[in-house]
Amino acid sequence: AQDCQVDNIQVMQNFNRTKYAGTWYAVAKKDPVGLFLLDNIVAQFNIAEDGQMTATAEGRVIILQQWELCAHMFATFEDTYDPAKFKMKYWGAAANLQTGYDDHWVISTDYDNYAVHYACREKGYDGTCIDSYSFVFSRHPTGLRPEDQYIVTQKKQEICLLGKYRRVQHNGRLSLVWCYLW
Ligand code: DAO
């Protein structure tokens, strides 16, 4: 059982950022308050020669309640005492996109197929999270392999978000060309 205390959440043991690098497709997402990225979300993690992790991401967003566009996002990661816990500074290529400074925790990954990410933006007085978001990433845009589903479900439960995810579509609504036009 889990007590849902943010401080007690178990993250990936011996996290290896080099193996984590590369392209990940978001296949499920638990949204934060004021959600931003809607679907066709693809993140690319890079490790510099000095070990610094950065990322670029794109996804479909709606801004000002009606304008649909492709968000090009950039992120830099600060290391913490735990190799699987980062602080992520992010901003958009266009000024009207979201900026922020969030946790970026890698809960579990096999590096080759799936990854479960978690960020708590606001903790309540009782130590549980009152505004979180989480991505389930896959190396494959088609989704998780059946053999990865059990562990991902376990991890969703451990971070107290089981049943709170929606599926993230990859329907080319955000094709490279469409994205490039922005
Ligand atoms: O979509 O509502 C939301 C929250 C996500 C905001 C951060 C996105 C930009 C950086 C993505 C890097 C990889 C996770």
Side-chain angles (χ1 to χ4, degrees), residues 5-15 20 24 82-86 103-111 114-120 132-137 151-161 165:
Q5 296 284 303
V6 176
D7 294 345
N8 293 345
I9 287 178
Q10 299 295 305
V11 296
M12 183 68 187
Q13 299 284 298
N14 304 116
F15 177 68
Y20 189 66
W24 287 104
D82 189 313
K85 292 183 178 178
F86 297 89
D103 282 339
H104 183 97
W105 293 3
V106 180
I107 301 296
S108 179
T109 184
D110 72 347
Y111 303 103
Y114 80 88
V116 178
H117 147 280
Y118 176 82
C120 179
S132 63
Y133 67 98
S134 169
F135 289 106
V136 176
F137 287 121
I151 176 102
V152 168
T153 302
Q154 286 294 306
K155 296 298 168 183
K156 286 176 172 177
Q157 189 165 16
E158 283 178 30
I159 58 178
C160 299
L161 294 180
Y165 290 77

Side-chain angles (χ1 to χ4, degrees), residues 18-180:
T18 306
K19 287 163 73 178
Y20 189 66
T23 304
W24 287 104
Y25 299 89
V27 294
K29 182 172 180 247
K30 188 274 174 189
D31 292 312
V33 170
L35 89 150
F36 178 57
L37 296 170
L38 296 172
D39 52 38
N40 293 279
I41 304 163
V42 185
Q44 167 92 36
F45 290 84
N46 308 295
I47 312 298
E49 257 172 53
D50 65 359
Q52 236 245 271
M53 187 161 86
T54 60
T56 58
E58 48 189 49
R60 191 173 66 93
V61 298
I62 307 253
I63 59 157
L64 306 174
Q65 274 126 69
Q66 57 174 324
W67 305 104
E68 178 185 53
L69 54 83
C70 166
H72 281 287
M73 304 299 292
F74 303 96
T76 56
F77 297 84
E78 294 168 12
D79 297 344
T80 68
Y81 65 92
D82 189 313
K85 292 183 178 178
F86 297 89
K87 295 298 287 190
M88 177 181 81
K89 191 179 171 208
Y90 69 92
W91 63 97
N96 43 21
L97 298 172
Q98 210 170 285
T99 61
Y101 188 65
D102 287 343
D103 282 339
H104 183 97
W105 293 3
V106 180
I107 301 296
S108 179
T109 184
D110 72 347
Y111 303 103
D112 297 323
N113 297 285
Y114 80 88
V116 178
H117 147 280
Y118 176 82
C120 179
R121 280 182 171 164
E122 197 184 347
K123 256 194 278 183
Y125 292 115
D126 65 359
T128 65
C129 192
I130 52 177
D131 185 12
S132 63
Y133 67 98
S134 169
F135 289 106
V136 176
F137 287 121
S138 173
R139 290 291 192 188
H140 322 284
T142 45
L144 292 179
R145 302 178 310 161
E147 54 266 53
D148 300 324
Q149 258 143 24
Y150 176 79
I151 176 102
V152 168
T153 302
Q154 286 294 306
K155 296 298 168 183
K156 286 176 172 177
Q157 189 165 16
E158 283 178 30
I159 58 178
C160 299
L161 294 180
L162 189 61
K164 305 231 168 118
Y165 290 77
R166 61 185 176 81
R167 191 178 290 266
V168 174
Q169 286 209 92
H170 287 273
N171 53 14
R173 182 77 189 77
L174 194 63
S175 69
L176 269 183
V177 172
W178 190 81
C179 220
Y180 179 76

